[in-house]
């Protein structure tokens, strides 16, 4: 029986398999898979899966609410086009608003539509009769063999002119429940081909109709602003954890006689606040990965065009350079948020930093002109007071550049037009002292907290790391960040970094960690 199951899974892969293979290329959130398991391991696996299932279901609910609004916002009521996209789901329709089934072609894959007679050539007429009756329904029912592993997954595949999206409530490579989503056109095409292959054994007359929809709404790279909007709304639409867990706990009461008291206690304590933080970190890492993917594609194509800039008019070259710059800045911002989520979710000993001595000039020469250009675009003055010779410091140069860039950008965007930021670099004993002084004549742009890591500026639409996580990152980089609000003058941020003396550095690093 086990051999039969393995053969079935090899012949009929589920959608999680396709997504897990893609994630494995980048070692992205890939769990360790150890084939040597004992009874205790299986119990822990079962407990972990129950917790992961609630997390994945919460993410799934937030994603459904987000994408429903996304689809409704993009309906063109005066369009002459009958259907404005294709939505495939399983095992039931996902959206309650009737406008979606009116303006988008919807279909569900379900074993309920399976008809053994469809596999027999002599019985085609009965299937055609069944299908013709189903054709009157606004939502098509597509057949799945009952043993198909896809029947155990919930998924939603959306194709429109503006974007394509796949969401799956499935598992990771270790069989632990996980919510997947992607805007990547190649992956979505692979999934469509896997779904289409399910229809080939059947004489299903709507297959050509579906092919026509896929040809009309081919998977495409979306506008990065749409992806950013989706990720923000997904975080906003996550069901309230307390009510969500209460609802789940209510369901658990009906099967409480199946669990021992110890198991129930272990299951309840799993939802301490740290569990919520872990969910947020994993979701943030997934979101930033999805935002970076289309942006990287756009930037690559733009750079290829810029290599042939002699073929374009100057104004076209200028626009391409702006696209390249915007993509680069957004990618860097997403990388910083991804790294911050890594810092938040790993122990200090496992944090991915490499402290080495290097000249501070190495960072400043490349970054100061870039920081000043960003400030100029917001009509904010950014100037620097530097010593004639910048000393060596000990830190992680790549990560330091990212976190300083994020901090400068956050300070710049928090000021109104006409604001002024002065950065002063000096030495203080065995440390480098970098002061960031912001001055303004009116109220700052308001900031809103967004989860454990981020702040959001409604006026600019900018996401940035909050000061608490920024302090933690500077500490991991061997430094320290202090913040002081000066009365009627603005904010003063002071960053201390160890100078490039190995003995002093070790002492300072220990002192910073104990501070």
């Amino acid at each position: 029986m086990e051999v039969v199951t393995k053969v079935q899974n090899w012949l009929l892969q589920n959608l999680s398999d396709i997504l897990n293979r893609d994630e494995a290329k980048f070692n992205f959130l890939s769990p360790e898979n150890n084939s040597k398991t004992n009874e205790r391991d299986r119990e822990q696996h079962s407990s972990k899966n129950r917790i992961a299932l609630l997390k994945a279901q919460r993410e799934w609910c937030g994603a459904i609410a987000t994408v429903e609004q996304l689809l409704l916002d993009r309906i063109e009521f005066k369009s002459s086009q009958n259907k404005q996209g294709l939505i495939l789901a399983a095992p039931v329709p996902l959206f309650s608003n009737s406008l979606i089934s009116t303006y988008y072609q919807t279909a569900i894959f379900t074993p309920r539509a399976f008809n053994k007679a469809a596999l027999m050539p002599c019985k085609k007429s009965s299937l055609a009769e069944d299908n013709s009756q189903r054709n009157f329904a606004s939502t098509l029912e597509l057949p799945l063999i009952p043993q198909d592993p896809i029947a155990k997954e919930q998924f939603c595949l959306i194709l429109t002119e503006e974007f394509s999206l796949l969401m799956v409530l499935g598992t990771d490579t270790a069989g632990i429940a996980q919510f997947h989503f992607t805007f990547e056109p190649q992956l979505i095409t692979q999934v469509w081909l896997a779904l289409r292959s399910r229809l080939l054994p059947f004489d299903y007359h709507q297959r050509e109709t579906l092919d026509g929809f896929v040809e009309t709404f081919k998977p495409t790279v979306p506008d990065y602003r749409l992806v950013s909007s989706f990720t923000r709304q997904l975080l906003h639409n996550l069901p309230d954890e307390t009510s969500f867990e209460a609802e789940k706990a209510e369901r658990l009461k009906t099967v409480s006689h199946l669990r021992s008291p110890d198991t129930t206690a272990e299951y309840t304590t799993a939802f301490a606040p740290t569990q919520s933080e872990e969910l947020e970190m994993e979701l943030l890492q997934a979101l930033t990965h999805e935002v970076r993917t289309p942006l990287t594609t756009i930037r690559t194509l733009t750079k290829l065009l810029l290599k042939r800039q002699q073929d374009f008019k100057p104004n076209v070259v200028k626009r391409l350079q702006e696209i390249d710059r915007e993509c680069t800045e957004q990618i860097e911002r997403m990388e910083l948020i991804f790294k911050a989520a890594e810092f938040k979710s790993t122990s200090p000993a496992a944090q991915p930093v490499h402290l080495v001595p290097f000249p501070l000039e190495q960072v400043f020469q490349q970054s100061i002109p870039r920081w000043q250009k960003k400030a100029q675009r917001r009509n904010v003055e950014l100037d620097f007071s530097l010593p004639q010779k910048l000393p060596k410091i000990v830190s992680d140069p790549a990560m330091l550049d990212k976190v300083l860039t994020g901090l400068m950008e956050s300070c710049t965007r928090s000021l109104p037009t006409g604001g002024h930021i002065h950065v002063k670099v000096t030495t203080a004993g065995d440390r480098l002292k970098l002061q960031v002084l912001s001055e303004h004549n009116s109220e700052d742009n308001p900031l809103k907290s967004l989860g454990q890591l981020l702040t959001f500026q409604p006026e600019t639409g900018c996401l940035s790391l909050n000061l608490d996580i920024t302090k933690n990152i500077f500490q991991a980089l061997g430094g320290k960040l202090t913040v002081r609000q000066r009365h009627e003058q603005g904010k003063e941020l002071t960053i201390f970094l160890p100078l490039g003396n190995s003995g002093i550095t070790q002492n300072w690093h220990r002192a910073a960690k104990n501070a």
Side-chain angles (χ1 to χ4, degrees):
M1 186 66 183
E2 184 179 352
V3 174
V4 173
T5 302
K6 287 183 178 179
V7 171
Q8 286 177 343
N9 289 340
W10 178 76
L11 292 173
L12 293 173
Q13 293 182 332
N14 60 25
L15 305 189
S16 294
D17 292 334
I18 298 173
L19 296 170
N20 287 330
R21 273 203 310 273
D22 180 71
E23 289 179 357
K25 295 176 185 176
F26 308 98
N27 292 322
F28 181 71
L29 300 180
S30 55
E32 297 179 2
N33 190 6
N34 188 351
S35 58
K36 296 180 180 180
T37 58
N38 53 33
E39 189 64 30
R40 182 178 178 84
D41 292 333
R42 281 191 288 272
E43 288 177 4
Q44 291 177 347
H45 183 281
S46 177
S47 175
K48 182 179 179 182
N49 192 46
R50 287 196 299 271
I51 296 167
L53 180 58
L54 289 182
K55 288 170 53 182
Q57 287 174 336
R58 186 166 171 252
E59 294 171 359
W60 170 259
C61 291
I64 294 301
T66 301
V67 79
E68 181 171 32
Q69 191 58 50
L70 199 65
L71 291 168
L72 291 172
D73 290 344
R74 281 156 179 75
I75 291 176
E76 296 181 12
F77 293 99
K78 295 183 179 180
S79 174
S80 59
Q81 196 173 21
N82 290 331
K83 299 291 184 180
Q84 298 174 23
L86 174 65
I87 301 173
L88 304 177
V92 294
L94 297 174
F95 305 111
S96 56
N97 195 307
S98 60
L99 287 175
I100 290 182
S101 57
T102 301
Y103 286 93
Y104 298 91
Q105 178 59 61
T106 58
I108 59 169
F109 281 82
T110 173
R112 186 177 61 193
F114 174 69
N115 188 340
K116 291 182 180 178
L119 302 174
M120 303 178 186
C122 61
K123 296 290 185 180
K124 286 183 181 180
S125 58
S126 63
L127 178 66
E129 183 179 346
D130 288 343
N131 282 333
S132 65
Q133 292 173 358
R134 290 194 191 104
N135 195 40
F136 289 106
S138 58
T139 298
L140 301 175
E141 289 192 354
L142 310 178
L144 274 182
I145 297 172
Q147 293 78 18
D148 194 319
I150 284 182
K152 297 178 181 179
E153 293 181 310
Q154 287 180 270
F155 70 84
C156 180
L157 189 153
I158 299 172
L159 301 176
T160 70
E161 286 185 350
E162 197 171 345
F163 72 96
S164 47
L165 170 64
L166 171 68
M167 304 184 297
V168 180
L169 182 57
T171 61
D172 62 17
T173 53
I176 300 294
Q178 182 173 323
F179 168 64
H180 307 262
F181 78 95
T182 182
F183 287 89
E184 175 59 46
Q186 291 182 342
L187 268 180
I188 291 172
T189 299
Q190 288 181 45
V191 167
W192 158 244
L193 293 175
L195 293 173
R196 187 182 186 278
S197 68
R198 267 55 177 192
L199 303 177
L200 294 178
F202 302 92
D203 180 35
Y204 188 70
H205 75 293
Q206 294 285 8
R207 192 170 64 232
E208 292 182 1
T209 304
L210 293 175
D211 286 340
F213 275 111
V214 175
E215 182 64 26
T216 302
F217 304 106
K218 289 181 178 178
T220 182
V221 175
D223 188 313
Y224 75 89
R225 289 169 295 188
L226 183 146
V227 181
S228 298
S229 175
F230 175 83
T231 56
R232 284 200 301 270
Q233 289 303 314
L234 176 52
L235 285 171
H236 176 74
N237 288 327
L238 282 176
D240 177 71
E241 189 174 8
T242 304
S243 59
F244 190 77
E245 290 170 18
E247 180 184 346
K248 294 295 180 182
E250 197 64 33
R251 294 182 187 178
L252 287 173
K253 287 180 182 178
T254 61
V255 291
S256 59
H257 61 281
L258 298 177
R259 293 195 176 97
S260 68
D262 292 339
T263 307
T264 307
E266 178 187 12
Y267 189 70
T268 305
T269 34
F271 287 96
T274 53
Q275 184 63 37
S276 175
E277 291 180 7
E278 182 186 349
L279 165 62
E280 185 182 338
M281 295 311 104
E282 290 182 3
L283 183 58
L284 273 177
Q285 287 179 309
L287 292 177
T288 52
H289 175 72
E290 284 302 316
V291 172
R292 283 182 300 168
T293 300
L295 286 178
T296 303
T297 302
I298 295 169
R299 184 175 63 171
T300 301
L301 295 174
T302 303
K303 286 187 180 297
L304 290 174
L305 290 174
L306 284 172
K307 287 182 178 179
R308 299 169 42 214
Q309 58 181 282
Q310 70 276 5
D311 299 338
F312 304 110
K313 294 180 179 179
N315 63 327
V316 175
V317 173
K318 183 180 178 182
R319 294 290 181 267
L320 288 172
Q321 289 171 340
E322 288 176 356
I323 293 171
D324 180 43
R325 185 193 69 231
E326 288 289 344
C327 286
T328 299
E329 289 179 4
Q330 290 288 349
I331 290 169
E332 288 175 351
R333 188 177 294 120
M334 292 302 107
E335 286 176 347
L336 179 59
I337 294 173
F338 182 89
K339 285 290 185 184
E342 269 191 321
F343 275 98
K344 185 74 173 177
S345 58
T346 57
S347 63
Q351 286 171 351
V353 293
H354 305 285
L355 304 182
V356 295
F358 68 96
L360 184 60
E361 189 176 1
Q362 178 181 322
V363 173
F364 276 4
Q365 273 187 344
Q366 296 178 348
S367 299
I368 287 180
R370 185 159 40 99
W371 298 339
Q372 289 177 326
K373 283 182 180 178
K374 288 183 181 180
Q376 287 171 5
R377 292 203 298 270
R378 290 198 50 79
N379 197 20
V380 171
E381 185 181 356
L382 173 61
D383 61 53
F384 290 79
S385 295
L386 305 177
Q388 288 187 346
K389 185 176 181 181
L390 288 167
K392 275 190 175 185
I393 60 171
V394 174
S395 189
D396 183 319
M399 191 62 198
L400 180 63
D401 180 50
K402 283 185 173 65
V403 72
L404 283 176
T405 297
L407 193 64
M408 294 297 176
E409 183 177 42
S410 178
C411 291
T412 301
R413 287 178 176 262
S414 68
L415 293 183
T417 298
H420 176 243
I421 298 174
H422 179 68
V423 180
K424 183 180 180 182
V425 178
T426 58
T427 54
D430 57 4
R431 298 170 290 177
L432 180 102
K433 182 180 180 182
L434 190 152
Q435 288 177 289
V436 182
L437 311 172
S438 61
E439 301 173 3
H440 56 86
N441 298 319
S442 61
E443 292 296 319
D444 291 3
N445 293 330
L447 292 175
K448 290 187 176 180
S449 178
L450 189 62
Q452 301 289 323
L453 294 186
L454 304 177
T455 56
F456 175 63
Q457 294 171 332
E459 184 177 317
T460 63
C462 180
L463 285 175
S464 58
L465 297 181
N466 64 37
L467 286 175
D468 286 337
I469 188 63
T470 305
K471 288 179 181 180
N472 292 341
I473 294 177
F474 272 114
Q475 183 173 302
L477 292 175
K480 184 177 181 180
L481 169 66
T482 63
V483 182
R484 185 165 67 94
Q485 189 69 40
R486 299 177 300 160
H487 183 60
E488 295 183 352
Q489 287 185 304
K491 193 180 294 182
E492 178 181 323
L493 282 69
T494 305
I495 301 162
F496 295 99
L497 293 166
L499 295 175
N501 181 305
S502 59
I504 293 174
T505 298
Q506 291 173 2
N507 294 334
W508 163 243
H509 197 184
R510 281 195 294 270
K513 290 217 169 197
N514 294 328

